[in-house]
Amino acid sequence: MDLQETCVESNVVYDGCLLHVRRDEVRLPDGGTSVREYITHPGAVAVLALKDNGNLIMERQYRYAARGEFYELPAGKIDPGEDVLLTGQRELLEETGYVASEWVHLTSTRPCIGYSDERIEYFLARGLAQQQRCLDHGEFLEVFELPLGEAVDWIRQGKISDSKTIVGVLFLEKYLKDWQD
Amino acid sequence: MDLQETCVESNVVYDGCLLHVRRDEVRLPDGGTSVREYITHPGAVAVLALKDNGNLIMERQYRYAARGEFYELPAGKIDPGEDVLLTGQRELLEETGYVASEWVHLTSTRPCIGYSDERIEYFLARGLAQQQRCLDHGEFLEVFELPLGEAVDWIRQGKISDSKTIVGVLFLEKYLKDWQD
């Protein structure tokens, strides 16, 4: 069964500071047409920074869109043309002040296929050493450590509700237990 | 450390068929101001429909925003004023043709805290019986069964990359193994 939809016409309908929205007319599998609206996004990298003692480096951050504070993995957008490993290294240092000697790409996911082309690349970072963090202008966040097992408990309890972080933590737990070889 | 941002002014900047975008001026924790743009979304429900033989009811669907086919859980938007359990029951029946005798709320997540207020409620549905599906106009998808363990393998391999589905499958695996009591 062919499910593909093809572009008939594409327009930028909102070009903001952060959000860029397109509205496309598409040809459906049955020959009819429909409208698809979606965010164009540069992609992002999320980092599972794991200390030798088993603690993850986490962030507490207020997210205005979702009107609340969230416990999150360090993460940030890919700069134009930037290698995703460099994005991970840059964001970890900027937001938390950590550098890491060992980087492993874990997986690539699509956080919002209904209305965004965003992808998130996940890295495991080990061999951590603390340097100086340097937040972007207008960025406010608190860094803390959380044992991996406790992060899993927080997911069970709903205390961690950010999907990007749930995916990373549960993937990492499987990776360390069952998937490493 | 107080991280909260408060609204100074809020405007709808794009009001489309599917997407609704707001652009707010906000007061930052340090007293400065900034701009936040985000999608307003009614919220969604995703269903882990598990047959007695251990198979999950899955969907294969083309997602135009992400320009590809994805393996996904049945899911859909909450209608205005609709109870989320009813959304789950409605979407499962409409998209797959299944009804379920047992429903358990698993968790509530935020798929996209950077630029959307969407939440996703997850239900486990058991005691399945097949009736007649009834897709929305312009909706094309294929329904198939996948053993839960194989779904976990597909996540490891990156064959399942939709975050909504990764969260649901890995949460369900933990729930059935470790979290049920």
Side-chain angles (χ1 to χ4, degrees):
Chain A
M1 182 174 169
D2 182 19
L3 301 169
Q4 196 174 345
E5 300 171 358
T6 53
C7 179
V8 176
E9 195 188 329
S10 179
N11 290 290
V12 175
V13 288
Y14 181 69
D15 196 28
C17 314
L18 167 75
L19 284 190
H20 310 280
V21 183
R22 297 194 80 94
R23 181 182 196 278
D24 292 9
E25 194 188 331
V26 301
R27 178 80 52 201
L28 299 175
D30 67 358
T33 59
S34 188
V35 168
R36 301 287 180 245
E37 294 165 323
Y38 57 101
I39 305 292
T40 54
H41 189 283
V45 175
V47 182
L48 292 136
L50 191 63
K51 294 184 70 170
D52 293 341
N53 66 6
N55 285 358
L56 276 177
I57 309 299
M58 295 283 293
E59 300 177 356
R60 181 171 71 91
Q61 195 170 2
Y62 187 83
R63 293 297 199 154
Y64 184 81
R67 296 290 196 285
E69 281 182 8
F70 291 87
Y71 302 110
E72 298 178 50
L73 300 175
K77 280 188 215 169
I78 303 165
D79 281 341
E82 189 178 38
D83 183 274
V84 293
L85 173 58
L86 292 182
T87 309
Q89 294 172 333
R90 179 176 56 70
E91 290 288 348
L92 183 65
L93 180 59
E94 284 176 8
E95 294 186 349
T96 73
Y98 279 96
V99 293
S101 59
E102 186 201 341
W103 290 79
V104 179
H105 183 259
L106 290 180
T107 193
S108 177
T109 69
R110 309 299 294 250
C112 194
I113 57 177
Y115 54 91
S116 172
D117 68 354
E118 182 178 359
R119 76 182 207 274
I120 300 181
E121 303 292 337
Y122 286 85
F123 284 95
L124 167 59
R126 284 185 286 206
L128 299 179
Q130 188 139 32
Q131 295 187 0
Q132 190 66 42
R133 77 172 182 167
C134 172
L135 293 176
D136 283 342
H137 178 73
E139 198 172 32
F140 301 87
L141 58 87
E142 203 172 76
V143 177
F144 67 103
E145 293 184 24
L146 187 67
L148 178 58
E150 210 164 319
V152 173
D153 280 345
W154 285 19
I155 291 169
R156 175 189 188 170
Q157 297 159 19
K159 194 170 167 182
I160 291 176
S161 62
D162 167 44
S163 295
K164 157 187 88 253
T165 301
I166 297 174
V167 166
V169 168
L170 294 184
F171 196 102
L172 178 63
E173 200 207 22
K174 296 289 293 183
Y175 175 83
L176 295 175
K177 263 193 196 163
D178 309 324
W179 292 349
Q180 201 148 9
D181 305 306
Chain B
M1 181 177 170
D2 182 19
L3 300 169
Q4 196 173 346
E5 300 170 358
T6 52
C7 179
V8 176
E9 195 188 329
S10 180
N11 290 289
V12 174
V13 288
Y14 181 68
D15 196 28
C17 313
L18 167 75
L19 285 189
H20 310 281
V21 183
R22 297 195 81 95
R23 183 182 193 278
D24 292 9
E25 194 188 329
V26 301
R27 178 80 51 200
L28 299 174
D30 67 357
T33 58
S34 189
V35 167
R36 302 286 180 245
E37 294 165 323
Y38 57 100
I39 305 292
T40 54
H41 190 283
V45 175
V47 182
L48 292 135
L50 191 64
K51 293 184 69 169
D52 293 341
N53 65 6
N55 285 358
L56 275 176
I57 308 300
M58 296 283 293
E59 299 176 357
R60 182 172 70 92
Q61 195 170 2
Y62 187 83
R63 292 298 199 153
Y64 184 82
R67 295 291 195 286
E69 280 183 9
F70 291 87
Y71 302 110
E72 299 178 48
L73 299 175
K77 279 189 215 168
I78 303 165
D79 281 341
E82 188 179 38
D83 183 275
V84 293
L85 173 58
L86 291 183
T87 309
Q89 293 172 333
R90 180 176 54 73
E91 290 288 348
L92 183 65
L93 179 60
E94 284 176 8
E95 294 187 349
T96 74
Y98 279 96
V99 294
S101 59
E102 187 200 340
W103 289 79
V104 179
H105 183 258
L106 290 180
T107 192
S108 176
T109 70
R110 309 298 295 249
C112 194
I113 57 178
Y115 54 90
S116 173
D117 68 353
E118 182 178 359
R119 75 182 208 273
I120 300 180
E121 305 290 339
Y122 286 85
F123 284 95
L124 168 59
R126 285 185 286 206
L128 300 179
Q130 188 140 32
Q131 296 187 0
Q132 190 66 42
R133 77 172 181 166
C134 173
L135 293 176
D136 282 342
H137 179 72
E139 198 173 30
F140 301 87
L141 59 87
E142 202 172 78
V143 176
F144 66 103
E145 293 185 24
L146 187 67
L148 178 58
E150 208 165 319
V152 173
D153 281 345
W154 284 19
I155 291 169
R156 175 190 189 170
Q157 297 159 20
K159 195 170 166 182
I160 290 177
S161 63
D162 166 44
S163 294
K164 156 188 90 253
T165 302
I166 297 173
V167 165
V169 168
L170 294 184
F171 196 102
L172 177 63
E173 200 206 22
K174 297 288 294 182
Y175 176 83
L176 296 176
K177 262 194 197 163
D178 310 325
W179 291 350
Q180 201 148 9
D181 306 308

